[in-house]
Amino acid sequence: MTHGVCIIGASHAGVQVAASLRDLGYDAPIHLIHGEATLPYQRPPLSKAYLADSVNADGLALRSPDYYASRGIELLSATHVHCIDADTRRLDLRAAPGAQAGTSLPDSLTYDHLVIATGARARQLPVPGGDLDGVLTLRTIEDAEQMKARLETARDVVIAGAGFIGLEVAATAGKLGKSVTVVEAQDRVLARLFPTMMSDFLTNRHKENGTAFLFGTQISGIRQQTDGRKIVDFSNGDSREADLVVVGIGAEVNDGLARLIGLDCDNGILVNREALTSCPEISAAGDCAAWQLPHEQNTSRTESVQNAVDQAKIIAARLTGNDIPEQVAPWFWSDQLDVKLQMVGTALDADDIVCRGEMESGRFSLLYYQGEELVRVDSVNRAIDHIAARRLVTQRIKLPKDAARDVNIKLKDFG
Amino acid sequence: MTKNTVKISFKQPSGAIKEIEAPVGQSVMQAAIFNNVDGIEAECGGSCMCATCHIYVPAESANLTGTASEEEQEMLGETAAERRPESRLSCQIVVTADMDGHTFDVPECQS
């Protein structure tokens, strides 16, 4: 008897594995194990449109309620995997919070192949008061609900971390008329990812939206006041009152199950080019998986929808004996105020950066070079460059710099 | 179903037609994804950033779908399937009450 595929985690990667398996004609059982009680949903809008109330929970669903049954995918919601027995290929299951009483849940499942798509979790603020009511991270729909409710009455919002989550929440809270302060340990926003000129461009946009920035300092503690408000203390000795503290200081990989059974891990579950772990019956995909990107020496995790979906499609192709899709240069996007930021490529060690379009116009792309090769492109409100750049950066083409600067020459005409 | 939905259809290149109930106010892309219409990928989730929710809007429905923004026009230059005058990104079209009974065409490919 065939047991089919079990998938732990029903976010972008897990759902895509199930969907692609069925699209490719896989006809054995598929169990999709979801830790939350909701339908599987999209995460990117949580810090953007969902927080701003322009989409509702229904609009977040990755697939319709009847999709899973209609494709023969057994969706187990509000279910946790307690442990994996890799020798007998068995999962031990437990009901998760939100599970409805009386729902019949199998105690265990046996698989022929296992896909771990457990993602990552928000890093908590490791300071006194970091766990107070009203100090929130943003990762799940439940987090977003709480944040939305708090934002309704909050006046002052302090945000720890000037990364994508922090800046997206700052944009939304600022637009809602809140007084927003972003606290960042580095000397500028997104310092590990961007050159100073891009950090400054983004900072100025947020300042125009009324957001204040405190650079080179971090939250050292949070104190609860009797009126429900908090005093947020900073390491530079300053402090500020807040009704809501948003923590956007990165994510930690959910690799606990994988480590318990001895899968090779190094800041993520290590997988090869085909998204297979060190165990031949176990794959991993999405935020929890680390692999080697083309042109990179080290393995890394990529926290993005594209990476999750592509790794999922690779797994489905392998399990059904189809051609493995090519690895592409990672791409990612962020919406902040009137800035639609799209990035492709991960190179941090470019030796030259060419600006295409005027930064002041709010519509430009930065093209990163190593020698003559195009290794990364960051686009601001130039989606047309981004779409072309996905192909050009994957191929690392030699794009003449004078053509790169000339917005009248289309990037799609190269490569 | 509440009255806030309309019936719209998607026609595949094969000629197969799927009719769905689309909530008024949602994007055509969302309605298609939610109802498992084949051939609409929408890999960016509806942010007008990927050009993989390309559809063709037949002339008789064009007055219901508004006009493509400059940004959408640019993205339409990047679609995988042939761009035609009827080309639109379905994430940028809002379902309206008067779309009831209309049909959109799905292109050969999205990526």
Side-chain angles (χ1 to χ4, degrees):
Chain A
M1 168 180 168
T2 171
H3 300 292
V5 172
C6 285
I7 303 163
I8 310 176
S11 189
H12 293 269
V15 169
Q16 189 67 51
V17 171
S20 290
L21 280 171
R22 288 294 183 237
D23 288 348
L24 293 171
Y26 185 81
D27 59 6
I30 299 176
H31 287 91
L32 179 59
I33 302 162
H34 183 33
E36 297 170 62
T38 59
L39 271 182
Y41 57 89
Q42 307 173 57
R43 289 190 202 278
L46 293 179
S47 52
K48 309 177 182 85
Y50 188 71
L51 203 55
D53 237 354
S54 49
V55 291
N56 59 19
D58 288 347
L60 286 186
L62 279 164
R63 295 288 193 283
S64 62
D66 60 358
Y67 172 80
Y68 303 93
S70 75
R71 303 305 302 268
I73 297 164
E74 187 71 34
L75 175 64
L76 302 172
S77 293
T79 304
H80 273 165
V81 173
H82 182 62
C83 63
I84 303 167
D85 185 333
D87 293 330
T88 58
R89 298 198 306 267
R90 217 173 60 110
L91 303 179
D92 190 2
L93 305 181
R94 297 274 196 281
Q100 286 182 358
T103 333
S104 63
L105 175 71
D107 295 333
S108 68
L109 285 172
T110 305
Y111 58 82
D112 296 321
H113 196 87
L114 177 66
V115 179
I116 303 180
T118 44
R121 61 190 178 274
R123 181 172 290 136
Q124 305 295 315
L125 196 61
V127 303
D131 55 354
L132 283 174
D133 194 34
V135 179
L136 303 177
T137 54
L138 181 50
R139 185 83 198 174
T140 65
I141 201 165
E142 200 181 330
D143 295 339
E145 289 290 351
Q146 280 191 41
M147 200 171 288
K148 240 160 69 165
R150 289 269 171 180
L151 274 172
E152 272 180 26
T153 54
R155 193 175 70 208
D156 299 296
V157 181
V158 170
I159 298 176
F164 288 114
I165 294 283
L167 292 175
E168 287 172 0
V169 173
T172 305
K175 275 196 262 185
L176 293 170
K178 311 301 173 187
S179 161
V180 181
T181 304
V182 175
V183 189
E184 168 57 52
Q186 303 284 318
D187 61 356
R188 54 193 174 86
V189 308
L190 290 160
R192 269 173 302 188
L193 196 59
F194 287 130
T196 305
M197 58 180 167
M198 184 68 105
S199 295
D200 290 349
F201 171 82
L202 291 170
T203 303
N204 288 335
R205 280 290 198 270
H206 282 278
K207 282 183 174 170
E208 285 163 18
N209 191 44
T211 296
F213 287 89
L214 294 173
F215 291 119
T217 188
Q218 43 195 322
I219 295 176
S220 55
I222 304 170
R223 289 175 284 150
Q224 185 76 54
Q225 302 294 96
T226 48
D227 63 356
R229 280 165 67 84
K230 290 163 225 339
I231 296 185
V232 184
D233 296 317
F234 305 122
S235 52
N236 66 1
D238 283 351
S239 62
R240 197 165 289 235
E241 278 199 59
D243 310 291
L244 168 63
V245 179
V246 176
V247 179
I249 55 171
E252 292 169 340
V253 63
N254 290 330
D255 61 357
L257 286 172
R259 284 180 179 277
L260 273 175
I261 55 168
L263 296 184
D264 292 346
C265 294
D266 179 11
N267 180 33
I269 304 165
L270 290 174
V271 297
N272 67 12
R273 164 72 191 83
E274 299 189 355
L276 190 64
T277 69
S278 53
C279 169
E281 286 103 31
I282 305 179
S283 302
D287 289 11
C288 70
W291 70 356
Q292 195 175 10
L293 288 163
H295 312 288
E296 303 261 338
Q297 298 298 319
N298 300 320
T299 56
S300 60
R301 295 191 301 114
T302 308
E303 294 175 6
S304 75
V305 172
Q306 169 266 327
N307 177 69
V309 168
D310 284 2
Q311 287 179 337
K313 287 179 175 173
I314 285 171
I315 291 169
R318 169 164 46 78
L319 293 178
T320 53
N322 283 279
D323 290 342
I324 308 290
E326 292 292 317
Q327 269 182 318
V328 299
W331 55 267
F332 184 76
W333 79 89
S334 175
D335 275 320
Q336 301 167 30
L337 305 167
D338 60 346
V339 176
K340 193 173 275 190
L341 181 59
Q342 295 168 282
M343 295 142 277
V344 57
T346 49
L348 297 171
D349 51 352
D351 50 38
D352 194 17
I353 300 176
V354 167
C355 186
R356 178 176 166 83
E358 299 294 325
M359 288 189 88
E360 299 76 45
S361 70
R363 206 167 169 268
F364 61 92
S365 293
L366 297 181
L367 287 78
Y368 297 67
Y369 283 85
Q370 282 173 8
E372 294 172 67
E373 291 183 359
L374 187 65
V375 296
R376 169 176 161 186
V377 175
D378 300 337
S379 300
V380 170
N381 298 324
R382 283 192 67 89
I384 188 167
D385 288 349
H386 171 76
I387 297 287
R390 285 195 210 160
R391 183 170 46 85
L392 304 185
V393 171
T394 294
Q395 296 170 356
R396 296 213 160 190
I397 67 142
K398 292 177 178 168
L399 178 70
K401 291 180 185 175
D402 52 351
R405 273 187 202 93
D406 187 346
V407 292
N408 296 313
I409 300 175
K410 286 187 172 181
L411 292 185
K412 71 180 290 196
D413 294 337
F414 291 89
Chain B
M1 281 288 176
T2 65
K3 280 189 176 163
N4 275 342
T5 64
V6 293
K7 287 188 163 64
I8 58 175
S9 299
F10 293 86
K11 186 176 173 189
Q12 298 294 329
S14 66
I17 293 178
K18 177 166 184 164
E19 185 183 75
I20 66 167
E21 294 260 5
V24 169
Q26 226 178 36
S27 75
V28 170
M29 177 281 286
Q30 275 180 317
I33 292 289
F34 213 72
N35 289 281
N36 317 316
V37 173
D38 291 334
I40 308 273
E41 291 187 7
E43 56 187 21
C44 80
S47 304
C48 197
M49 291 196 184
C50 70
T52 63
C53 64
H54 181 200
I55 57 169
Y56 300 119
V57 178
E60 64 267 26
S61 308
N63 61 325
L64 304 176
T65 54
T67 51
S69 66
E70 196 180 330
E71 180 183 35
E72 185 186 338
Q73 292 282 358
E74 278 192 1
M75 297 300 290
L76 286 168
E78 303 295 330
T79 53
E82 178 198 3
R83 180 183 184 176
R84 300 183 199 150
E86 318 86 270
S87 287
R88 290 294 306 272
L89 296 184
S90 55
C91 72
Q92 300 299 303
I93 301 174
V94 178
V95 176
T96 57
D98 46 10
M99 272 183 199
D100 198 47
H102 285 255
T103 300
F104 302 109
D105 293 312
V106 178
E108 291 285 344
C109 59
Q110 296 287 359
S111 56

